[in-house]
Amino acid sequence: MSEPSPAVDEPTVLESFQQNGFSRRTFLKFCAATASLLALPAAEAAVLAENLATKPRPTVIYLSFQECTGCLESLTRSFSPTLEHLIFNVVSLAYNDTLQAAAGESAEAAREDAMRKAWGKYVLVVDGAIPRPLDGAYCVVGGKSALASLQHVAEGAAAVIAVGTCAAFGGLPLANPNPTGAVAVQDLVRDKPVINLSGCPPIPEIITGSVVYLLSFGVPELDEHRRPKVFFGNTIHDRCYRRPFYDKGLFATSFDDEGARNGWCLYELGCKGPTTYNSCATMKWNGGTSFPIESGHGCLGCSEPGFWDRGDFYHPLSTGRWGSGMGEKLAVAAVAGAVLGGAAAVAGRQRQKARNDASTQHPDHPEAK
Amino acid sequence: MVTLDQIAIVVEEDDASNRMVPALLRELLDALDGFLRDGTRHCLDLATLPLGHAGRHALEEALGQGEIDARVSVLGSSRVRETAFTGIWWLRHEDDNGALLCEQIEVTDLPEILRADRGDIEAASARLAALAASLN
Amino acid sequence: MDLLTFARGPALQWALVIFVVGTIWRLIGILLLPRKPDFNEPRSTHPWRGALGLIVRRTVPKREFAGPTAFGNTIGYVFHFGLAIVVFGFVPHILFIRSLTGLHWPGLPSGVIYVVGALTLAALVAALVRRLSHPVLRLLSNADDYLSWLVTAAPVLTGLMAAAHWGGPYPRLLAIHVLSVCVLLAWLPFGKLMHVFLVFVARGTTGALFARKGAST
Ligand code: SF4
Ligand code: SF4
């Protein structure tokens, strides 16, 4: 698969802009802003505009499973490209149970219809994890399990975008003790390209930008967790504005000490920036207003697999995870060591004594007469 | 309460960003020559360049202000300035809230965003015809 | 469980348990060994002073040997002090020790640590090269020496790699660094690295004995 293909009779993105009363200038500015967001080099930025002017809009089906709708909430706050442009001009959103006006059986019928028309070509967006046991009985929408829906819709998809840490890595549903046996999209969809846009929630512009990229160029270059490298190529720590303090060894040691007031590094307070790949430090949130570290709180690592189960939001990254009873374990170890040492010494003394006895009985020994 | 701007963050200006400026000027010179040779347009996204505040300022100073300073009102506002070097344009795109979307330097005779598109002219012609008809 | 969580959790816990068992086992085993009774009249009544004195004095090479041993001594000093600075001066390391013992102290700037770390690694490599190229040293060396070198150098190398983000994603580099420390901790009591503790026991015993005999050192 290189890129998703159009639904039948769909206008191109440019035509769609114009049909909706936007000028070509709006389209060009949209392209410029998106290319900048995607950090495209000049040549590719031109190709982006060209592709969007000539390619028909793809059909998008957006399914929600074990999720909190936070990812969609985030998406609605995308500044550039805005959600409105995305769903009205860039894609043809055939199904999203929160955004669509239709409900109930007619909505499901519309989805089936859209899928039939664009079979093999549409883009499937998923948020939320999927419970696997008991044929997926723990999450059922419209009489159909999440498991069955995903497998059915993914079959005809050209590519699948897993939005949010739950869809990408299992997130909170999968966290210990994982009562519903939740798994990630990539655990179930094996024969289609899966793009993971992790984050709890993901940065909205990462979602919109990735959709536009997919439409224009196909699947972007992905990292080892199948996240687009453009957005997940650096750690928070790599691009953090508090980094000079980290390098100088200046750390806040509580949330209201002198260091915190001076804006020093939050490593000691448990910041997971060094191990977290995401764009918060550069793209920021709410249209570039700020990101958590600017508000004085360390990164929780929300875009990494298993971030919830690490259970150490407020412990420095370099500390061991000792769990409870480490002191007791070490005390037992010390006692065991002492017993072994004592035994070794006793054995040593006995050996020595045996040797001495043996040598005193030797015929050459002066005492052995 | 301490607000964000009261927190003393000293961003250390990297002088690598100042060394960027001469390199950028040479790139723009190449682009201008390229345009004169075969009409190739060239575009730089400032966000992709490791330019600090100082470097950005130095670049702006060096390029100066030319004869055109246009405002485009789409998706918020955009400003299209010709620099003192004809054919080199400085574009600044803002969203509805005035937040910066992106900044570009384009090398061309006329930035695309200024040109009226044929499709848009056709739509305008239709609209105008309707208006004229309604006034009859 | 991902590699980093494993390294910071179970791997470190087990390594520490092995370290504690092993260290106490060997220390007690050695300290409880029988000593021959010495029936001589003691020349000095301050064996402790003698012990401490020798521990300090033996860290400085004898003037007579200064020339020929200069190279070996220098690299030895560099990596021993380097290791101490890196282990006890880097803030993340101090935080590690604090999480275990509750003790902490101010750290050094990360830049200083990186430089010292690089020097330490260079000195360690030089020590290995010397060991391999010096005929006598080579004859004296056994597998323990090379293994001990490896488990000492590995945390320094992996730590520098993690700091430089060189060789893979940082979480993996950090996990490998922590795991290399686990191996070091687990091996330390059982090989020549035990000199970390035994050097004081050995020098102290000799120093006390010398003091008792009134021998000059
Ligand atoms: S606040 Fe966090 S991300 Fe920023 S420099 Fe410190 S550790 Fe790194
Ligand atoms: S700073 Fe860290 S925890 Fe916060 S949103 Fe970004 S990646 Fe998630």
Side-chain angles (χ1 to χ4, degrees):
Chain A
M1 127 105 215
S2 54
E3 53 214 52
S5 315
V8 200
D9 302 333
E10 273 295 337
T12 70
V13 176
L14 172 58
E15 282 164 358
S16 172
F17 265 87
Q18 292 179 322
Q19 280 169 14
N20 288 321
F22 295 107
S23 66
R24 181 162 179 276
R25 294 194 183 104
T26 317
F27 170 77
L28 287 174
K29 179 159 172 177
F30 170 85
C31 292
T34 309
S36 175
L37 172 78
L38 293 166
L40 296 180
E44 274 186 57
V47 177
L48 176 85
E50 223 166 83
N51 285 351
L52 293 183
T54 50
K55 285 201 182 168
R57 305 185 309 169
T59 296
V60 168
I61 294 177
Y62 191 128
L63 299 179
S64 302
F65 300 129
Q66 285 179 304
E67 48 90 41
C68 67
T69 316
C71 294
L72 190 65
E73 284 286 343
S74 174
L75 176 57
T76 60
R77 284 153 185 77
S78 179
F79 279 71
S80 81
T82 63
L83 177 66
E84 296 87 293
H85 277 304
L86 187 79
I87 64 176
F88 293 132
N89 298 324
V90 179
V91 304
S92 160
L93 185 65
Y95 184 90
N96 174 295
D97 56 14
T98 308
L99 295 176
Q100 70 199 359
E105 269 160 25
S106 64
E108 302 302 315
R111 170 166 64 80
E112 285 298 333
D113 191 44
M115 280 168 54
R116 214 175 13 258
K117 283 196 193 134
W119 190 255
K121 297 167 180 166
Y122 55 80
V123 176
L124 168 60
V125 179
V126 179
D127 64 13
I130 305 99
R132 193 148 48 173
L134 307 176
D135 282 332
Y138 291 124
C139 178
V140 175
V141 181
K144 221 171 167 192
S145 72
L147 188 65
S149 300
L150 176 65
Q151 275 157 353
H152 171 54
V153 184
E155 211 190 318
V160 184
I161 300 181
V163 165
T165 298
C166 298
F169 309 129
L172 299 199
L174 176 141
N176 218 358
N178 191 358
T180 64
V183 295
V185 171
Q186 59 187 356
D187 298 326
L188 298 170
V189 180
R190 302 226 177 250
D191 51 350
K192 299 284 153 103
V194 175
I195 302 167
N196 286 329
L197 306 177
S198 58
C200 190
I203 298 176
E205 287 82 7
I206 288 185
I207 311 176
T208 50
S210 298
V211 171
V212 176
Y213 189 98
L214 180 67
L215 164 59
S216 185
F217 299 107
V219 178
E221 201 189 338
L222 305 177
D223 72 359
E224 58 168 356
H225 295 304
R226 299 198 195 172
R227 298 175 294 197
K229 280 194 179 162
V230 244
F231 299 122
F232 297 91
N234 287 302
T235 63
I236 305 294
H237 183 71
D238 286 335
R239 312 302 292 271
C240 179
Y241 73 106
R242 297 195 187 214
R243 182 65 185 270
F245 295 117
Y246 174 88
D247 291 334
K248 286 194 191 114
L250 296 173
F251 300 92
T253 53
S254 87
F255 283 109
D256 59 357
D257 70 350
E258 188 61 28
R261 274 188 286 278
N262 287 333
W264 289 353
C265 171
L266 301 166
Y267 189 96
E268 281 204 44
L269 295 170
C271 181
K272 296 296 170 297
T275 51
T276 306
Y277 289 80
N278 204 344
S279 292
C280 304
T282 45
M283 296 170 71
K284 307 195 174 174
W285 288 82
N286 299 314
T289 305
S290 67
F291 75 113
I293 289 170
E294 269 182 283
S295 311
H297 196 287
C299 169
L300 302 179
C302 77
S303 57
E304 293 299 310
F307 85 102
W308 194 260
D309 280 339
R310 291 186 186 144
D312 63 343
F313 290 161
Y314 299 101
H315 295 106
L317 190 59
S318 65
T319 57
R321 302 302 304 124
W322 304 122
S324 56
M326 191 60 199
E328 287 80 12
K329 272 186 221 162
L330 290 183
V332 171
V335 172
V339 170
L340 281 171
V346 170
R349 277 168 191 255
Q350 275 167 357
R351 254 200 320 272
Q352 210 162 24
K353 192 156 167 284
R355 223 180 298 133
N356 285 346
D357 291 352
S359 59
T360 48
Q361 279 154 25
H362 196 277
D364 292 346
H365 197 277
E367 286 171 30
K369 298 258 162 66
Chain B
M1 206 198 84
V2 186
T3 59
L4 210 57
D5 45 331
Q6 285 171 272
I7 296 178
I9 300 296
V10 187
V11 181
E12 286 172 358
E13 204 48 82
D14 188 358
D15 39 82
S17 84
N18 292 325
R19 286 200 297 273
M20 270 304 285
V21 175
L24 279 175
L25 293 182
R26 264 190 302 276
E27 177 177 349
L28 289 173
L29 175 62
D30 280 350
L32 263 190
D33 290 345
F35 185 79
L36 289 174
R37 211 178 317 116
D38 48 25
T40 333
R41 304 148 47 86
H42 189 74
C43 184
L44 281 178
D45 184 343
L46 285 186
T48 62
L49 304 174
L51 269 180
H53 274 291
R56 194 191 165 288
H57 192 73
L59 183 66
E60 218 174 342
E61 289 272 283
L63 290 178
Q65 173 66 47
E67 294 164 344
I68 297 179
D69 190 347
R71 250 183 108 78
V72 184
S73 303
V74 289
L75 281 183
S77 147
S78 295
R79 192 166 168 206
V80 183
R81 287 192 301 115
E82 194 182 31
T83 66
F85 303 92
T86 312
I88 301 183
W89 305 77
W90 190 297
L91 283 75
R92 185 185 162 88
H93 296 301
E94 288 172 2
D95 71 5
D96 302 318
N97 305 309
L100 178 67
L101 289 176
C102 70
E103 260 185 314
Q104 299 170 312
I105 297 180
E106 259 192 70
V107 178
T108 175
D109 50 357
L110 183 68
E112 271 296 285
I113 198 158
L114 289 180
R115 222 167 46 79
D117 174 62
R118 193 172 173 88
D120 293 337
I121 300 176
E122 281 165 5
S125 143
R127 268 189 292 122
L128 188 58
L131 178 66
S134 74
L135 295 180
N136 267 337
Chain C
M1 194 188 302
D2 60 310
L3 197 61
L4 184 56
T5 312
F6 169 74
R8 294 175 65 202
L12 262 179
Q13 290 174 14
W14 276 106
L16 241 120
V17 166
I18 296 173
F19 171 78
V20 169
V21 172
T23 307
I24 295 189
W25 171 2
R26 290 209 57 199
L27 273 180
I28 293 203
I30 288 169
L31 292 175
L32 290 186
L33 276 180
R35 256 170 291 262
K36 287 228 178 78
D38 184 349
F39 299 113
N40 290 324
E41 182 88 7
R43 295 280 178 88
S44 155
T45 47
H46 298 295
W48 276 106
R49 207 182 285 161
L52 287 176
L54 196 74
I55 288 174
V56 176
R57 249 173 289 131
R58 286 264 163 113
T59 58
V60 188
K62 286 238 182 232
R63 196 174 304 129
E64 298 88 317
F65 305 123
T69 60
F71 180 69
N73 279 330
T74 312
I75 52 180
Y77 272 113
V78 171
F79 78 72
H80 276 91
F81 278 106
L83 284 171
I85 292 171
V86 171
V87 172
F88 298 110
F90 191 39
V91 175
H93 295 164
I94 299 172
L95 295 176
F96 174 83
I97 296 168
R98 188 179 74 181
S99 82
L100 202 59
T101 63
L103 303 172
H104 64 107
W105 50 90
L108 290 166
S110 310
V112 174
I113 301 295
Y114 300 155
V115 173
V116 173
L119 284 175
T120 305
L121 188 62
L124 278 165
V125 170
L128 180 67
V129 170
R130 192 171 102 91
R131 187 175 283 279
L132 287 171
S133 56
H134 195 292
V136 178
L137 259 183
R138 198 153 136 194
L139 208 66
L140 286 171
S141 304
N142 61 11
D144 184 359
D145 289 285
Y146 295 110
L147 183 63
S148 296
W149 182 90
L150 189 69
V151 299
T152 309
V156 184
L157 176 69
T158 56
L160 283 169
M161 284 169 66
H165 288 221
W166 185 80
Y170 180 77
R172 194 192 300 152
L173 295 174
L174 182 61
I176 293 173
H177 176 59
V178 175
L179 288 172
S180 72
V181 174
C182 293
V183 174
L184 170 65
L185 280 173
W187 171 247
L188 193 140
F190 303 105
K192 294 198 177 176
L193 288 180
M194 189 60 189
H195 77 269
V196 176
F197 298 107
L198 292 185
V199 66
F200 302 109
V201 179
R203 280 187 196 164
T205 312
T206 315
L209 218 65
F210 281 0
R212 199 186 145 92
K213 289 181 180 164
S216 102
T217 51

